[in-house]
Amino acid sequence: MGNCLCVKESIKVNGRRYLIREKLGEGGFSTVELIEDALTHKLYALKRITCHSQADQKVALAEVEYHNALRHANIVECIDSDLIGAPDLMGNRTSQVLIVLPYYRRGTLHDDLMRRQKAGTPIDEVVVLTMFRSICEGVQCFHTARPRPLAHKDIKTANILLQDDLTPCLMDLGSVSRARIEVNNSSEAQQLQDEAAERSSMPYRAPELFTVESHCNIDERTDIWSLGCLLYAMCFYKSPFEAVYERGDSVALAVISGIVKFPESHQYSQELLGLIKSLLRVKAEERPYIDWIIGTVDELINKSSGAV
């Protein structure tokens, strides 16, 4: 067939040339493409973030900074990054922040769950717990960050990449920000509510972020709610609030009600269901912190594995 690399579009990141193979995904202001190193032929994923203003660019560059600061086996690694151009609203010019990431051919946890749902092959409980523990370790890296704790703020199955051996990695750090926020007035409350609406997916969003009170404290337990939705999805394919979202009904009302129903027929233990319920407490102060979750998951793994 011959070599057709000469006709492929290419892009340079910090002087290193990559060939663009195909588009993998697209978001509001970003695209993800499969790229190939022109020298080594190794495959990577390239995230391109289009910035229309200096504020957009600052947020995109912060994503790179979070990648570099949060080095962990269960957080996707930033291999390289670059900034191209300069945004200018008056001149209708944009810049692009380029982030080179590892390529996970297995795709996301969402992809895997959709395949499993179609085939009717749920994940074994020990595997669910083992994968979930790894995800929690990645989240722990955010929550124990210095000088101040961070929160991911958009934990969901579509933001978990899977290695070939099912090792999960948190991705998309564009929603990351400081975890602990003191809200002192209605303006600050509205700003936080708007940010949550823009950055966090509704079926995984914590109750306190749907209607932010004008005097309150928000902390990293917004992520704990999302982890509860995620663990539910790992067992039953989708967030407990996904059906409400798909019907077009009020997710906010469903979330604030705190009613979580489990399928009548399933293979999971009451202890695992109890863990899900403990994470999906409507009042944030009743939710556990990440260290407690990891300890509890360890106990469940030992019990499920038959350890004494």
Side-chain angles (χ1 to χ4, degrees):
M1 290 177 66
N3 192 332
C4 61
L5 293 183
C6 54
V7 297
K8 288 182 181 175
E9 183 187 352
S10 67
I11 189 168
K12 283 190 175 181
V13 181
N14 273 336
R16 194 171 188 92
R17 192 164 73 96
Y18 298 90
L19 307 169
I20 298 170
R21 297 272 295 260
E22 62 180 275
K23 185 180 286 187
L24 295 174
E26 193 166 4
F29 298 104
S30 66
T31 58
V32 179
E33 296 161 314
L34 178 63
I35 58 172
E36 175 187 335
D37 188 304
L39 288 177
T40 66
H41 304 295
K42 188 173 179 179
L43 297 177
Y44 298 95
L46 174 69
K47 183 173 183 177
R48 299 195 202 211
I49 308 170
T50 301
C51 309
H52 297 271
S53 65
Q54 288 291 340
D56 290 347
Q57 186 172 289
K58 185 179 179 181
V59 171
L61 290 173
E63 183 171 345
V64 175
E65 289 173 14
Y66 287 132
H67 269 292
N68 293 331
L70 299 164
R71 300 282 183 173
H72 192 276
N74 300 112
I75 300 174
V76 70
E77 177 190 6
C78 172
I79 291 162
D80 204 354
S81 64
D82 207 350
L83 172 64
I84 297 176
D88 182 357
L89 286 171
M90 299 298 290
N92 199 28
R93 290 195 298 271
T94 61
S95 66
Q96 280 195 339
V97 173
L98 307 177
I99 307 176
V100 179
L101 304 164
Y103 171 58
Y104 294 76
R105 62 179 183 176
R106 196 180 185 106
T108 66
L109 176 57
H110 171 78
D111 299 331
D112 190 68
L113 289 169
M114 291 305 96
R115 286 191 292 265
R116 289 178 177 276
Q117 185 177 32
K118 191 173 181 180
T121 53
I123 309 176
D124 179 76
E125 179 159 333
V126 175
V127 179
V128 166
L129 290 166
T130 304
M131 290 173 65
F132 185 67
R133 190 195 192 285
S134 296
I135 294 166
C136 287
E137 285 189 34
V139 172
Q140 187 181 45
C141 184
F142 289 94
H143 292 186
T144 58
R146 296 288 180 266
R148 61 178 66 90
L150 299 169
H152 184 283
K153 297 193 174 175
D154 197 22
I155 297 169
K156 57 182 179 179
T157 57
N159 278 344
I160 307 290
L161 288 161
L162 295 180
Q163 297 179 16
D164 289 344
D165 63 356
L166 292 181
T167 298
C169 289
L170 279 155
M171 72 166 195
D172 195 356
L173 306 193
S175 57
V176 175
S177 62
R178 61 192 176 97
R180 297 172 185 175
I181 301 167
E182 185 178 325
V183 179
N184 295 302
N185 54 56
S186 57
S187 175
E188 291 176 0
Q190 189 61 52
Q191 182 182 349
L192 185 57
Q193 193 171 310
D194 290 345
E195 284 177 5
E198 181 182 338
R199 297 183 185 182
S200 63
S201 301
M202 209 176 277
Y204 291 82
R205 190 184 308 159
E208 61 270 25
L209 296 178
F210 279 96
T211 306
V212 180
E213 296 177 6
S214 53
H215 290 85
C216 66
N217 289 294
I218 304 290
D219 66 22
E220 59 267 38
R221 284 173 290 186
T222 54
D223 278 352
I224 303 303
W225 175 276
S226 302
L227 282 172
C229 295
L230 181 85
L231 183 54
Y232 183 102
M234 291 176 74
C235 299
F236 308 115
Y237 309 115
K238 293 182 179 181
S239 157
F241 307 103
E242 201 87 46
V244 178
Y245 179 75
E246 289 170 352
R247 288 197 306 267
D249 292 340
S250 174
V251 177
L253 286 177
V255 165
I256 291 165
S257 77
I259 298 170
V260 176
K261 295 180 180 177
F262 298 102
E264 289 183 10
S265 176
H266 61 79
Q267 64 185 35
Y268 300 105
S269 68
Q270 288 303 310
E271 289 86 353
L272 178 50
L273 302 191
L275 175 59
I276 293 171
K277 287 179 183 177
S278 70
L279 309 185
L280 294 177
R281 300 278 189 188
V282 174
K283 293 181 179 179
E285 62 269 22
E286 294 180 0
R287 287 177 223 142
Y289 288 97
I290 195 68
D291 291 357
W292 179 89
I293 299 171
I294 291 173
T296 302
V297 170
D298 282 343
E299 291 175 9
L300 293 181
I301 289 172
N302 288 336
K303 186 173 181 180
S304 296
S305 302
V308 178

